[in-house]
Structure formats: C-alpha cells, structure tokens
Amino acid sequence: MKTILIVDDDVYIGDMLEELLTKENYAVGCAYSGTEALLYLSSRRPDLILLDLMLPGLSGEELLPLIKDIPVIIVSAKAEVSDKVDLLLGGAADYITKPFDTSELLARITVQLRKNTGRKSSGILSFDAIRMNTDAHTVTVADMPVRLTQTEYAILKLLMANPSQVITKSVILDRISEDTPDCTESSLKVHISNLRKKLKAVDGKDYIEAVWGIGFKLNEEL
C-alpha cells in the first residue's frame, strides 16, 4: 500500500483529502504545518507528498528544498504561472491549483507514483562518492569496495534512502530490526562508529553526522 503525506493547515481540506485517498486504498499521513511535516519525515518516508504553500511556521516554499527523492505535488491557491514555474524548477513534481477536481488530482497522483516506481527499480543508491547496489548488496566509496557487516549495511542503506533527513536512534533500531535483530540501543553507537571509520578510511571524508540528542544523518557539508 502506497503512503501519501498531506501537508495542509486547512483542516477541512486535509480531512477531505484523507477520506478521498483512503477510499482509493492509500495509507495517509497528515501534517498541519511545515515544521510538523519535517518531524514526520524524520521518522517515516511516504511515497508521495501533497504540499500546500501557505503553512504556519515553515512555509511550503521553505519545506520543498528539504524533501529529497520523494515526489511532491503542490496543492495551492496560488495560480500565477511564475509561481508554478519557480516551484517546478525548484523540485516539485507537479502543481495543481485550488479549487481542484478530485479525479484530476487522483490521476496526477497515479502518474507520479508510476514514475517514482520506475526510478526506484534500479537498486542503486548514491551519496557523494558512496554507491550502494541494493540488489547485489555491495558498497563502494570512490569506486573502492567497502566490506560492511550486516548491521552496518542496514544502517547505511537507511541513511542513504533518506538523505538530508535526521534519523532518530529509535527509528534506526525499528527500521533495521528485521535484518539485524541483534542490534540494540547500547550497541548502535558502536556499529555507527565502525561504519564511519570504514567509509572514512577510503577517502578521508566523514560521511555520517551525529545530531546531538536526536540521531544521525548523512553529512552534506563534505
């Protein structure tokens, strides 16, 4: 079942979209501000996001650049062509103006999910000089193979699948539990420390950043 995150501060529209999408057999998440959406994305990865622009706290325009590798359909009352062009060039996958026809919105959602499924089928994740082949379960840094334990591989895969997002310790443990049931909260730091050392040994870059008191993310300031 595909998951769609609705980010809209209008409760009426949010409830209407949730009911519509649930009837179409989508799982639905809701956030009523940009900040709440960012918090949602720190622990979960929807297949598509419906994003309003006029949000309290973090606006839709500010949130959009922080969303990586998830198709975003802007759903906004702003109808100026210049607004649409700027947002599409800024990373949005599509733009639909309020008020909208629900059948058109569902069609646009179907198209984006179909495109995204095709993009994900390659089994390749990349970040800077790191390249992971999830089909072959191999990792290279600057074209040099890196041997990882099962736990290290699972952690790196999770981080690379969610670039720019801070992943909390509890989420890491929950997401990798099926592949690495032996990893515990007390041993997680050791596994991540060993992973960082192995990656750094190849080209001297510290690829994993600890966000104090929260969790870990890939270091974008390399």
Side-chain angles (χ1 to χ4, degrees):
M1 180 182 288
K2 300 291 186 180
T3 300
I4 297 176
L5 173 63
I6 303 166
V7 187
D8 198 314
D9 65 330
D10 188 317
V11 176
Y12 171 79
I13 291 178
D15 288 347
M16 180 272 290
L17 287 173
E18 183 176 10
E19 182 178 355
L20 172 70
L21 295 171
T22 300
K23 286 181 179 178
E24 295 294 320
N25 296 316
Y26 292 112
V28 179
C30 295
Y32 300 96
S33 71
T35 308
E36 187 180 348
L38 205 56
L39 181 62
Y40 178 101
L41 292 170
S42 71
S43 61
R44 283 159 286 189
R45 182 180 174 81
D47 296 285
L48 183 141
I49 297 173
L50 299 178
L51 178 63
D52 185 26
L53 298 177
M54 310 280 281
L55 298 170
L58 203 64
S59 71
E61 289 93 340
E62 293 170 319
L63 180 62
L64 181 62
L66 304 178
I67 301 170
K68 305 294 184 182
D69 301 320
I70 302 172
V72 177
I73 298 178
I74 302 296
V75 183
S76 174
K78 288 187 177 182
E80 293 293 329
V81 172
S82 59
D83 291 325
K84 296 180 181 181
V85 169
D86 289 344
L87 287 157
L88 289 169
L89 292 176
D94 201 351
Y95 194 118
I96 189 167
T97 306
K98 296 177 181 176
F100 51 83
D101 183 89
T102 56
S103 60
E104 180 184 357
L105 177 63
L106 289 172
R108 289 172 182 261
I109 289 171
T110 299
V111 168
Q112 292 305 322
L113 289 175
R114 187 186 300 146
K115 286 181 181 178
N116 205 45
T117 299
R119 284 197 294 269
K120 289 182 178 179
S121 63
S122 65
I124 301 294
L125 295 174
S126 297
F127 179 83
D128 199 90
I130 306 175
R131 189 173 177 85
M132 173 181 283
N133 187 321
T134 58
D135 295 327
H137 288 264
T138 58
V139 174
T140 60
V141 176
D143 295 325
M144 296 291 292
V146 179
R147 294 176 62 87
L148 301 179
T149 66
Q150 186 177 4
T151 301
E152 292 163 358
Y153 179 89
I155 294 169
L156 182 60
K157 181 180 177 182
L158 177 61
L159 292 174
M160 291 184 70
N162 297 276
S164 302
Q165 296 178 23
V166 180
I167 312 296
T168 64
K169 297 173 187 176
S170 60
V171 168
I172 292 175
L173 290 170
D174 179 62
R175 294 283 187 89
I176 70 173
S177 60
E178 290 185 12
D179 298 323
T180 59
D182 59 324
C183 184
T184 64
E185 187 172 355
S186 59
S187 67
L188 180 61
K189 282 187 178 180
V190 176
H191 290 298
I192 291 181
S193 176
N194 291 337
L195 173 59
R196 292 172 79 169
K197 289 176 183 176
K198 289 181 179 181
L199 298 175
K200 190 174 183 180
V202 179
D203 60 3
K205 295 180 180 180
D206 194 357
Y207 285 99
I208 299 175
E209 175 186 353
V211 181
W212 191 84
I214 302 178
F216 301 90
K217 67 185 291 290
L218 292 177
N219 184 4
E220 295 183 289
E221 299 180 0
L222 295 171

